[in-house]
Amino acid sequence: MEPTTDTNAAIWKSEEHVRSRAARAAERERENAARWRLLGELLPFDEQDAFTFLDLGAGTGSAARTILDLYPRSTAILSDFSPQMIAVGEEEMAAYAGRYRYVEFDMSTSAWPDEIPAVLDAVVSSMCIHHMPDHRKAGLFAEIFARLAPGGWYLNYDAVSSADAVVAAAWERTADRQDPDAADKRRHRTPEEQARHENHVRYLIPLPQQLEYLAAAGFAGIDVYWKHLDDVIYGGQRPEEPSSTLAP
């Protein structure tokens, strides 16, 4: 049964949780490095292009650092709503001084800070959109679309659910085979681990629903560019504006 209390803010602004994530940073880098690289490689830029991208829910900046490495002349705006996470991120991003800045932004509202430019070349997000309720997922996609330059891309690496119990069981069975300790961990979560799990799954929704939100926002080129069980990379492009033509 879905929990009645949304603990998202309390968890992500918890000093204990931030320390726990920092302790697992190397492990998370190994697990996700290929996906963050693919996010960057999907962007329609040459290696030496100068452009600005927004990393929504950037956390400590792992995805942004990967893209900054791929494109040495790019600039990143990292947004997060947790001051505790931003403080750790500032330390992790030290080597990229002059190429990034953090902006505090609570995505659960539609009040985008003035520090985020009105026009962006690209937007990415990584494992954060699934924390938003459905109306905010749809709202965020529309807001992202409105801020993208024509031809700009939005790409999201995230977790999804399935409305098909057979599919969901296949995902879990396969994941357990890939991680022999997973089932035992699931049965023996601490109260803190259980709270984090409930926070993770609370607003998970099926992939087709999210692709529909992208289409409703106006995106073109929508596709699932990578998928492994319940983890996906999907996105699309704000269409180029049609060229004006002179009347004959």
Side-chain angles (χ1 to χ4, degrees):
M1 181 179 297
E2 181 178 294
T4 57
T5 303
D6 187 336
T7 58
N8 190 56
I11 287 175
W12 290 100
K13 293 188 177 184
S14 160
E15 296 283 358
E16 179 183 354
H17 180 63
V18 172
R19 285 195 300 270
S20 173
R21 283 180 64 85
R24 290 188 60 244
E27 178 184 350
R28 292 182 67 251
E29 294 278 350
R30 289 192 299 271
E31 291 174 351
N32 295 295
R35 261 64 76 193
W36 293 329
R37 183 176 181 87
L38 181 56
L39 279 182
E41 291 174 338
L42 284 165
L43 296 176
F45 303 110
D46 292 330
E47 181 181 352
Q48 293 303 318
D49 283 349
F51 64 91
T52 299
F53 69 94
L54 169 66
D55 185 353
L56 279 172
T60 58
S62 297
R65 290 194 297 276
T66 302
I67 297 172
L68 289 169
D69 286 341
L70 284 171
Y71 303 99
R73 298 182 63 203
S74 65
T75 301
I77 300 169
L78 290 77
S79 77
D80 203 276
F81 87 128
S82 166
Q84 293 82 358
M85 198 70 71
I86 290 173
V88 176
E90 291 283 7
E91 298 175 8
E92 297 292 326
M93 295 292 297
Y96 300 85
R99 297 185 59 201
Y100 83 94
R101 57 189 170 88
Y102 266 102
V103 175
E104 193 169 328
F105 176 30
D106 183 353
M107 291 188 296
S108 68
T109 78
S110 59
W112 286 55
D114 292 338
E115 295 89 340
I116 297 178
V119 180
L120 295 157
D121 298 310
V123 178
V124 299
S125 51
S126 175
M127 288 294 168
C128 63
I129 300 299
H130 73 272
H131 289 300
M132 300 292 106
D134 291 0
H135 75 280
R136 277 309 296 151
K137 290 185 181 77
L140 271 170
F141 293 168
E143 293 155 15
I144 291 167
F145 183 89
R147 286 178 177 262
L148 280 172
W153 276 76
Y154 168 57
L155 293 161
N156 181 35
Y157 167 38
D158 217 341
V160 297
S161 66
S162 177
D164 188 325
V166 174
V167 172
W171 288 351
E172 184 173 286
R173 180 176 64 250
T174 306
D176 285 354
R177 285 174 175 165
Q178 294 174 352
D179 179 2
D181 296 327
D184 185 66
K185 291 175 183 175
R186 205 164 46 243
R187 288 191 296 267
H188 299 95
R189 293 187 184 112
T190 66
E192 292 79 12
E193 290 169 340
Q194 182 62 27
R196 289 197 292 269
H197 170 72
E198 291 175 357
N199 183 63
H200 174 69
V201 303
R202 178 175 289 107
Y203 296 125
L204 283 178
I205 60 173
L207 175 60
Q209 186 175 342
Q210 300 183 59
L211 302 183
E212 290 173 3
Y213 291 160
L214 284 180
F219 283 95
I222 298 167
D223 194 17
V224 182
Y225 289 94
W226 174 87
K227 186 176 188 300
H228 177 71
L229 302 178
D230 56 339
D231 286 344
V232 299
I233 292 176
Y234 64 77
Q237 178 198 51
R238 175 168 178 162
E240 298 274 5
E241 294 178 349
S243 300
S244 59
T245 57
L246 296 175

